[in-house]
Amino acid sequence: MVLYTGRIPGPLIWPLLGNAAIFMIRPGDQLTLVDELMKRYGQYVRLWLGHELNIIVGNPADVRRLLTNNKVNKKGPAYKYMETFVGPGILSGGPTWRLHRKIANLSYNKKAIQHYSVASNKYAIRLAEVLGNKEPNVTFNVYHDVVKFTTLSTCDSIMGLSEDEIKNVRGMSAVVADTQDIYDFAYSNMTFWWLRLPLIYWLSGRKSKEKYYKTNIDLMTADIISLRKNAIEKYGVVEESMCVVDRYIMSGELTDQEVMWEIITFFTASQEATAKIASMVLLIFAHHQDWQDKVYKEIQDILGSNADYVSDEDLKKMTNLDMVYKEAVRYMPIGALIQRSIEEEVTVNDGEYVLPKGASLLLPIHLIHRDPQYWHEPNKIKPERFSPENAKNRDPNVFLPFSLGAMDCIGRVYAESLVKLIAVQVLRRVELEADGNIEDLQLHVAISVRFTKGYNLRVRPRTKGV
């Protein structure tokens, strides 16, 4: 394999460790290290992490080609450390991911999202009402409010649960509270090899923490399966309203354990990831009053005073809201650093470099979204960069917030719809504000990106236009 990569630049390789020593840093600093390596060696960097060959590819055109290449349709070895919680399915890229995703697709297509829109509107309005009752001039982390209602929306739409049923699902409140910690825990296992040594894993308390997380996940997912099986037996199912859990149960293709694993995947991907995006959009409004005013006026022009139900057609007309949404997922993409396994030899950089079978790709989406070669003032929030005039002159390969190809984010359409509905209903009821500059807020970069100290803002009720 070394013969294949001799021409790809990279840091000095040490015996046994390779380049692993330079990655013995905090998880939040590892993307910074990748950025430094790319600045030093270019858009293609060779790294040996012990005996595993990893190749960073930062050229956007090659990233697109690789993500859509059937020779690279397998997640990298780091994802196996998520299997403790999500099993060998869609998220970790196990052998069953294609079948499991094919079954789930029908619950995430545009037709399904339209069916979910009644519930999404309902919970967006209820979130907006909660924010409208907040004490004015008091700063708070809006994520904690947002995630409560993205959870309710996800349970209603994706899981098929009523609010009364949700109250009786064991472990759910703990899973919602711990989701970010669970993914940080998995990311630490991916990146800090010494933490995985059995003695250290036990003495450090990580084994007991893993058991705690897994117990709650198992309780929650088992209860959801039981509730949906009982509902199917009692009421049957209607194709157009089938949730993803129903589809898995009715397919007969999955064991109960496999369904449990996919439930936690879809649950967290739908409620936690969507909550982070929605919180980011609201924070942009709080820090950029001009864009808050533009979007509010747009909402009023399109909806008038009646917005109890906002349709997909209404959302499509909101071009300013769309620009803010796209800037939010550019600035804070769901997948910061993607790893893929190369299943067959493939070339990059116009054939100059050969990537051998068995190597792993590291695709730094967050860094591509911040590359000054492609983005003017990339570390600033500027929704106008997504205006039709500005977008048409930009390489389309440099915007990859939900990945690409067969393993892209299955929930991207659901997330966009729910986030935009939340933005509309919140802005109709409250004005948002925040201190300082959003660009100065420290980022926590792990599997995804979030603000280290939360999404802090203030609200005050709107005095007219509602």
Side-chain angles (χ1 to χ4, degrees), residues 446-458:
I447 292 173
S448 61
V449 187
R450 68 177 188 267
F451 287 115
T452 303
K453 296 183 179 179
Y455 302 76
N456 300 302
L457 49 72
R458 296 185 299 277

Side-chain angles (χ1 to χ4, degrees), residues 72-341:
V72 196
N73 273 343
K74 182 180 178 182
K75 293 198 174 181
Y79 288 88
K80 69 182 178 182
Y81 299 107
M82 300 182 69
E83 289 187 9
T84 299
F85 306 118
V86 302
I90 291 176
L91 187 56
S92 59
T96 59
W97 77 265
R98 288 181 186 275
L99 170 63
H100 292 191
R101 176 157 178 149
K102 182 179 179 181
I103 296 170
N105 274 337
L106 291 173
S107 291
Y108 276 96
N109 61 24
K110 291 184 179 180
K111 185 177 179 181
I113 304 310
Q114 290 174 352
H115 181 77
Y116 302 151
S117 64
V118 173
S120 297
N121 270 277
K122 176 176 72 173
Y123 293 115
I125 290 171
R126 285 175 55 182
L127 168 62
E129 290 171 346
V130 166
L131 297 183
N133 289 323
K134 292 279 187 181
E135 188 71 26
N137 302 318
V138 175
T139 298
F140 63 99
N141 183 357
V142 75
Y143 172 84
H144 296 310
D145 294 292
V146 173
V147 77
K148 292 176 185 176
F149 290 94
T150 58
T151 298
L152 288 171
S153 183
T154 295
C155 286
D156 188 319
S157 303
I158 309 302
M159 301 289 121
L161 304 178
S162 69
E163 285 194 62
D164 286 338
E165 288 173 325
I166 293 168
K167 294 173 185 176
N168 296 318
V169 174
R170 297 172 298 167
M172 180 175 286
S173 59
V175 171
V176 172
D178 293 335
T179 295
Q180 291 184 348
D181 291 338
I182 290 169
Y183 281 110
D184 285 349
F185 182 92
Y187 187 73
S188 295
N189 284 346
M190 290 179 185
T191 53
F192 288 162
W193 60 266
W194 61 90
L195 290 179
R196 305 193 297 265
L197 297 173
L199 183 60
I200 293 177
Y201 204 65
W202 183 75
L203 289 175
S204 65
R206 292 180 68 79
K207 184 64 179 178
S208 61
K209 185 175 287 189
E210 174 195 298
K211 183 179 179 180
Y212 167 76
Y213 292 148
K214 195 171 184 305
T215 296
N216 288 324
I217 288 171
D218 288 348
L219 287 171
M220 184 189 86
T221 54
D223 278 3
I224 291 173
I225 289 178
S226 177
L227 287 166
R228 292 314 304 158
K229 281 185 174 180
N230 290 339
I232 291 169
E233 183 178 350
K234 188 173 182 178
Y235 304 110
V237 293
V238 178
E239 169 63 29
E240 67 178 14
S241 61
M242 283 178 69
C243 67
V244 70
V245 183
D246 294 353
R247 292 191 188 280
Y248 281 138
I249 294 170
M250 296 295 290
S251 74
E253 300 276 2
L254 286 74
T255 65
D256 279 1
Q257 179 61 76
E258 288 177 315
V259 178
M260 289 168 66
W261 282 330
E262 298 301 7
I263 284 173
I264 191 61
T265 292
F266 285 110
F267 179 79
T268 56
S270 298
Q271 53 87 227
E272 190 261 356
T274 301
K276 285 193 290 192
I277 299 170
S279 300
M280 177 60 181
V281 168
L282 298 181
L283 198 63
I284 290 175
F285 291 139
H287 280 273
H288 291 266
Q289 186 67 48
D290 55 338
W291 278 97
Q292 182 175 175
D293 293 343
K294 285 179 185 179
V295 174
Y296 178 68
K297 182 178 186 305
E298 181 176 67
I299 292 168
Q300 293 300 94
D301 290 345
I302 292 170
L303 300 177
S305 59
N306 181 18
D308 289 339
Y309 177 80
V310 181
S311 69
D312 286 342
E313 291 304 311
D314 294 326
L315 294 178
K316 288 176 184 176
K317 297 173 186 175
M318 299 181 187
T319 55
N320 287 323
L321 175 57
D322 187 61
M323 284 187 268
V324 174
Y325 174 80
K326 288 177 178 175
E327 180 67 345
V329 293
R330 179 199 71 86
Y331 198 82
M332 312 253 305
I334 292 302
L337 185 66
I338 296 173
Q339 189 189 53
R340 294 287 186 267
S341 292

